[in-house]
Amino acid sequence: MNVKFFISLAAALLLPSTLAATVTKLEGTIPGYKRDPSLLILGGRGSVLSSAPITADGKFSLALPAVDAKRLGSITNFFKSCSVKPTVTPPDGAWLNIISLPVSNAKGVFGALSLDSVSKKAKAGDVWVSWIYAPKPINLAGNSTCIGTRSKTSVTSAWTVKLEAGWNLLSRTVNTVDASGIKTTYTAVSSLPTNATWKLAK
């Protein structure tokens, strides 16, 4: 099957916790999944890194492989359009930031799977989860202030994060939402937030 897919590589997520626990697979159940068996894809920079079947009842288990350096992006460049940027140590740190995974069948991609607690609009307490691959330990410290590409809303985030070598499980929590914008905190976590659920956007 010739799989075409699109991966959104957007803001990572981390909070003022200690350090991220590395993970080796993504697994779970998509609520209300009512389709023929399909394929979940992990990709980066134009190639499939790993894939796994989704059963008819929505269950999946996807292995997280090592990532070649050519699939990684500069963390410093990630913040280049932000008015305030966190400190990245070492400054040449690179990552692969996955916040959604394409879902495909024989006809091609029909959706993207993500893990969050958002219903319609972001509100205080909401959380997003992502997986970040780092080839070596990397620290992010300080704040970032960026304008959302779609919403044009100002988003200020606190970063006190240490990424370990390998795949890191990270969550972004919304602190406040008001007329001035959105304030969030990024945290390294060792387990999935209890209020986050798998969601398939079509």
Side-chain angles (χ1 to χ4, degrees):
M1 177 175 64
N2 182 17
V3 179
K4 296 181 180 179
F5 63 90
F6 171 78
I7 296 238
S8 174
L9 300 179
L13 12 270
L14 317 110
L15 308 155
S17 196
T18 49
L19 75 180
T22 56
V23 291
T24 59
K25 61 183 176 181
L26 305 181
E27 58 184 358
T29 302
I30 305 170
Y33 193 79
K34 296 178 181 179
R35 284 182 171 269
D36 293 332
S38 304
L39 191 67
L40 182 65
I41 303 165
L42 175 71
R45 299 205 165 198
S47 67
V48 174
L49 301 176
S50 182
S51 62
I54 303 173
T55 61
D57 58 357
K59 288 182 169 56
F60 63 89
S61 180
L62 177 71
L64 295 173
V67 179
D68 187 270
K70 66 183 179 181
R71 307 297 177 202
L72 306 177
S74 164
I75 299 177
T76 299
N77 286 346
F78 179 83
F79 294 101
K80 66 181 180 181
S81 62
C82 299
S83 58
V84 177
K85 305 172 179 63
T87 300
V88 180
T89 308
D92 64 347
W95 63 14
L96 177 62
N97 175 10
I98 300 293
I99 63 171
S100 65
L101 301 108
V103 179
S104 175
N105 58 20
K107 296 181 179 179
V109 172
F110 63 82
L113 186 66
S114 60
L115 186 63
D116 62 64
S117 66
V118 181
S119 52
K120 293 183 179 180
K121 291 185 178 181
K123 61 185 181 302
D126 275 342
V127 63
W128 285 264
V129 176
S130 70
W131 292 263
I132 294 181
Y133 181 85
K136 58 185 178 182
I138 299 169
N139 288 290
L140 291 94
N143 296 315
S144 64
T145 299
C146 315
I147 302 298
T149 54
R150 293 183 180 179
S151 65
K152 304 303 180 183
T153 300
S154 174
V155 179
T156 298
S157 301
W159 299 78
T160 307
V161 174
K162 181 176 182 180
L163 300 175
E164 294 298 299
W167 286 95
N168 297 262
L169 178 62
L170 304 169
S171 70
R172 179 179 64 176
T173 301
V174 176
N175 300 322
T176 61
V177 179
D178 55 33
S180 66
I182 300 174
K183 291 181 173 58
T184 70
T185 304
Y186 282 86
T187 306
V189 295
S190 58
S191 60
L192 297 177
T194 56
N195 60 330
T197 57
W198 292 101
K199 295 179 179 177
L200 180 60
K202 301 182 176 70

